[in-house]
Amino acid sequence: MKETIGKPESSIEVIMLCQICNKKTATIHLTEITDGLRNEMHLCERCAVEQGIAAQGQVSINELLSSLLAVQPSDEELFEPSEGEMSCPQCGFTLDKFRREAVLGCPNDYEYFEKALLPLIERAHNGGTSHCGKIPSKTPQQTKKQMKLVNLRQQLDAAVRKEDYESAARLRDEIKQLES
Amino acid sequence: MKLTDISSDINEWLSGTGPLSDIVVSSRIRLARNLAGHKFLSRCSAAEKAEILAKLKDVLMSLDFGDEVFYISVDKTSDLNRDFLVERHLISRHHAAGRGPRGVVIARREFFTAMINEEDHLRMQVLKAGCQLSKCYEQINHIDDMIEQKIDFAYSPRFGYLTACPTNLGTAIRCSVMLHLPALKMTGQIEKFFNAAKDMSLAVRGLFGEGTEAASDLYQLSNQVTLGVSEEAIVSEFEGNIIPEIVEYENAARKELLSKKVDTLDDKISRAMALLQHAHLISSQEALFLLSHLRLGINMYEHMGATTPALKRLRDLAGQHRDKSNHVTDKDKGLSIATINRLFMLTLPAHLQLNYGKPLDTTHRDALRAKIIRSALNQET
């Protein structure tokens, strides 16, 4: 049984340095009880954020989300252990990256990581999980075609990186054709 | 079109007009969109970002906005210009501090701006003075329709408009109103506002958006929920429930100041007048703080007919201006809310420096700021 109790304190009587960077004042004090053993941690805000323990003082929604995801103790219950490393075939994005950056890699991620994202989406939108607003006046292009384009662009990037200009030219033509 | 063409005056949405303008300074609606067939920006190479930028720029520049539009390459312009665009609410801090190819399309009268390659490929906003969210939505929806005729956005029937961050998913709309709430602060009731916002799942930010503190008693209030509720429902919730409730709180606090705390009110207004009329060095923070009190004073006698001793003096000051300036244009007329807003914006650091023509250190900025304010309040030349 692992339990984490963390709370940022605004008035600290004794100034304590962060035990990770040893430079800044520790403002986050964390008591962790694992199997009955008590362990205390004292961190500055920045290191706490880096450790995924706390959100910054003035948090943007993104940062808050990312920290929410990072502290979720039930990661392993939520997805299979390897799911954090599963990568989207369209853009190569992983859930681990999402936890760090709080933004997704491509539109297809919503479908590919749906199971993992849904609880988060629900929480962020007061229980809302499906769209009931504007519908584009022009029917959107087939999702499959959109996915293919993302995929081709991914291959194009790789070809350019490898200086394989022959493949790059072919991929560029293919993208152009699909778009027109 | 140069930035100095717009930097010496305020934009329309700061004109101090519009419904409920004594409390609701301005309304803004932002939509986030991403191009179909492209990755989100975090996974894009510089080349793909440049491609997205070129596509969106071409589409936007080809539309009829009923106004001249111009484009600024945010990655290539100077730091000072970027700061200016942020002060002016034409781009976000995030956009200014970003990396890679990015830009902004701006309508000359500044009611519309579109950031390209911010967090999403496209983030566009319409701004208006006072409480005018429905009109903002009508206009931005029309612009969105025009863009969709020319380009496909990433959209799924289930999740709506797909955004880089799941918090914006669905309508991808953000409705914000900028509220001036000095009386709630003076009467120690600003918590009431924060609690109401929290109860209604709304976000409160300072004057310059996410991560900025509330300077000058100006707060931006905006929706957080974007999925499972329509754009119209969000807008009408703001106009029908949220805004009236907050406006009522602030009005009650203003009345309380007049009935029970006249000395507090008069002290704040007299001090603000004295300092602004006589100081020779004023920091940006101090100017925002003091101008906020003058804004409250003017609104109290213009909208509530209040006549405390300090308000009378403030009114006399405004009256003198009107007498002397019969022949000048509206914007120079007396000590109106527009004048206060003008001082407020034109004395921000990047505005000062852009209008002065070269960079200035803090002390020189504080001196120039004080001089501009003194001359506006004392009609010096």
Side-chain angles (χ1 to χ4, degrees):
Chain A
M1 173 64 193
K2 191 175 166 177
E3 196 183 341
T4 307
I5 309 154
K7 107 172 164 52
E9 285 179 9
S10 52
S11 56
I12 302 133
E13 284 161 38
V14 187
I15 292 180
M16 201 180 267
L17 286 181
C18 168
Q19 61 191 62
I20 291 185
C21 67
N22 255 324
K23 281 179 197 151
K24 290 192 178 159
T25 312
T27 53
I28 311 268
H29 306 275
L30 192 78
T31 310
E32 199 174 76
I33 302 162
T34 313
D35 299 331
L37 288 176
R38 188 185 168 91
N39 180 29
E40 284 188 9
M41 278 177 91
H42 306 280
L43 308 172
C44 69
E45 199 166 284
R46 191 176 165 170
C47 290
V49 170
E50 277 172 15
Q51 297 293 309
I53 289 164
Q56 280 170 350
Q58 289 172 330
V59 264
S60 70
I61 293 170
N62 293 358
E63 286 159 342
L64 186 66
L65 264 181
S66 128
S67 61
L68 265 176
L69 275 170
V71 289
Q72 275 197 7
S74 55
D75 273 1
E76 280 156 29
E77 296 156 39
L78 261 176
F79 356 106
E80 298 298 309
S82 61
E83 206 168 356
E85 288 150 29
M86 267 170 65
S87 74
C88 166
Q90 309 301 326
C91 68
F93 205 67
T94 63
L95 282 175
D96 282 346
K97 284 201 183 94
F98 177 63
R99 258 178 233 123
R100 282 196 302 273
E101 299 169 21
V103 285
L104 293 165
C106 80
N108 181 53
D109 290 351
Y110 281 105
E111 200 173 310
Y112 192 71
F113 299 118
E114 188 186 318
K115 198 173 133 203
L117 290 176
L118 215 52
L120 170 90
I121 290 173
E122 210 174 330
R123 206 168 352 153
H125 298 285
N126 269 359
T129 51
S130 53
H131 181 54
C132 64
K134 183 171 181 177
I135 299 165
S137 49
K138 209 168 64 167
T139 328
Q141 302 272 354
Q142 288 295 315
T143 325
K144 262 189 187 165
K145 186 175 143 189
Q146 291 181 20
M147 280 159 58
K148 179 131 204 246
L149 277 168
V150 171
N151 202 336
L152 286 172
R153 286 203 170 90
Q154 178 85 343
Q155 290 179 40
L156 175 65
D157 281 350
V160 172
R161 265 199 307 275
K162 280 189 287 184
E163 298 185 8
D164 177 0
Y165 297 114
E166 203 177 313
S167 304
R170 180 177 48 79
L171 287 160
R172 179 149 296 166
D173 291 346
E174 213 175 318
I175 290 170
K176 264 191 193 149
Q177 205 184 356
L178 201 60
E179 274 191 323
S180 61
Chain B
M1 178 74 210
K2 290 181 303 224
L3 288 183
T4 43
D5 294 343
I6 57 171
S7 65
S8 59
D9 209 345
I10 45 169
N11 29 38
E12 264 181 11
W13 57 266
L14 258 186
S15 59
T17 56
L20 300 173
S21 65
D22 55 332
I23 293 171
V24 185
V25 177
S26 62
S27 305
R28 176 180 85 111
I29 292 200
R30 180 273 276 155
L31 297 179
R33 299 286 185 256
N34 288 280
L35 296 184
H38 283 274
K39 284 170 284 191
F40 293 139
L41 293 163
S42 69
R43 302 294 291 165
C44 281
S45 62
E48 190 166 351
K49 282 186 188 173
E51 189 188 338
I52 293 165
L53 178 63
K55 274 187 191 170
L56 282 169
K57 183 186 162 190
D58 281 355
V59 170
L60 286 162
M61 298 300 282
S62 72
L63 300 178
D64 179 10
F65 291 98
D67 191 16
E68 181 194 346
V69 284
F70 60 102
Y71 171 81
I72 292 163
S73 172
V74 175
D75 52 328
K76 294 191 185 111
T77 198
S78 67
D79 286 346
L80 180 60
N81 284 349
R82 273 194 284 264
D83 288 345
F84 169 78
L85 293 168
V86 173
E87 285 179 1
R88 203 92 180 158
H89 289 241
L90 295 170
I91 65 171
S92 64
R93 285 192 177 198
H94 184 81
H95 201 39
R99 276 170 38 204
R102 62 197 192 281
V104 61
V105 173
I106 301 168
R108 177 73 164 78
R109 285 182 284 128
E110 297 171 59
F111 61 86
F112 172 80
T113 89
M115 292 184 280
I116 307 173
N117 291 350
E118 201 239 27
E119 184 181 287
D120 293 295
H121 298 161
L122 176 65
R123 284 194 165 190
M124 48 186 174
Q125 62 175 16
V126 164
L127 292 133
K128 292 190 186 294
C131 179
Q132 297 200 66
L133 280 172
S134 309
K135 291 227 170 83
C136 289
Y137 182 63
E138 207 176 288
Q139 190 165 16
I140 202 158
N141 190 34
H142 174 65
I143 294 169
D144 188 48
D145 285 344
M146 291 197 291
I147 301 171
E148 274 181 342
Q149 292 305 314
K150 304 194 173 201
I151 212 159
D152 289 330
F153 288 133
Y155 176 90
S156 96
R158 170 154 189 210
F159 289 130
Y161 290 95
L162 303 174
T163 49
C165 180
T167 51
N168 298 313
L169 191 61
T171 53
I173 193 173
R174 177 153 290 158
C175 295
S176 315
V177 277
M178 204 204 283
L179 303 164
H180 188 225
L181 307 174
L184 280 175
K185 179 94 146 291
M186 276 183 203
T187 55
Q189 302 176 80
I190 196 74
E191 287 300 319
K192 223 170 161 177
F193 163 66
F194 289 130
N195 291 337
K198 210 172 141 196
D199 288 347
M200 297 185 277
S201 300
L202 302 171
V204 177
R205 297 187 185 81
L207 178 60
F208 292 106
E210 248 169 45
T212 62
E213 59 190 33
S216 69
D217 304 318
L218 288 170
Y219 299 89
Q220 281 188 59
L221 185 67
S222 49
N223 69 301
Q224 286 180 297
V225 172
T226 54
L227 187 68
V229 53
S230 71
E231 292 85 349
E232 289 82 2
I234 294 172
V235 170
S236 84
E237 173 71 9
F238 259 88
E239 292 192 326
N241 295 325
I242 298 166
I243 296 170
E245 185 175 334
I246 310 287
V247 165
E248 199 183 307
Y249 286 162
E250 172 66 16
N251 271 328
R254 289 183 188 188
K255 282 182 191 139
E256 188 185 324
L257 282 175
L258 286 176
S259 62
K260 294 184 192 147
K261 297 182 176 168
V262 175
D263 284 341
T264 308
L265 173 71
D266 275 8
D267 183 63
K268 301 265 188 204
I269 289 173
S270 302
R271 279 170 190 272
M273 276 167 70
L275 281 168
L276 291 169
Q277 276 184 295
H278 301 289
H280 279 250
L281 290 174
I282 296 188
S283 73
S284 182
Q285 288 294 314
E286 189 181 11
L288 292 175
F289 175 77
L290 296 171
L291 286 168
S292 162
H293 294 161
L294 292 198
R295 181 205 302 269
L296 172 69
I298 296 170
N299 276 327
M300 283 179 91
Y301 71 67
E302 281 192 353
H303 291 263
M304 303 168 79
T307 50
T308 67
L311 288 178
K312 274 185 196 154
R313 281 200 304 281
L314 181 62
R315 197 174 176 165
D316 287 343
L317 185 71
Q320 279 171 21
H321 284 247
R322 292 218 165 96
D323 292 342
K324 282 182 189 172
S325 35
N326 281 338
H327 302 294
V328 283
T329 55
D330 259 8
K331 68 183 180 202
D332 295 321
K333 198 177 73 180
L335 196 56
S336 61
I337 292 295
T339 309
I340 297 290
N341 286 349
R342 200 155 180 260
L343 289 175
F344 175 89
M345 180 139 280
L346 267 43
T347 61
L348 290 170
H351 273 77
L352 277 180
Q353 296 176 79
L354 207 63
N355 289 330
Y356 188 70
K358 61 180 183 191
L360 292 165
D361 62 26
T362 315
T363 312
H364 283 98
R365 289 207 297 269
D366 290 354
L368 183 58
R369 180 178 299 116
K371 192 178 164 202
I372 291 172
I373 295 174
R374 275 201 321 273
S375 68
L377 298 192
N378 301 325
Q379 286 273 287
E380 288 169 359
T381 43

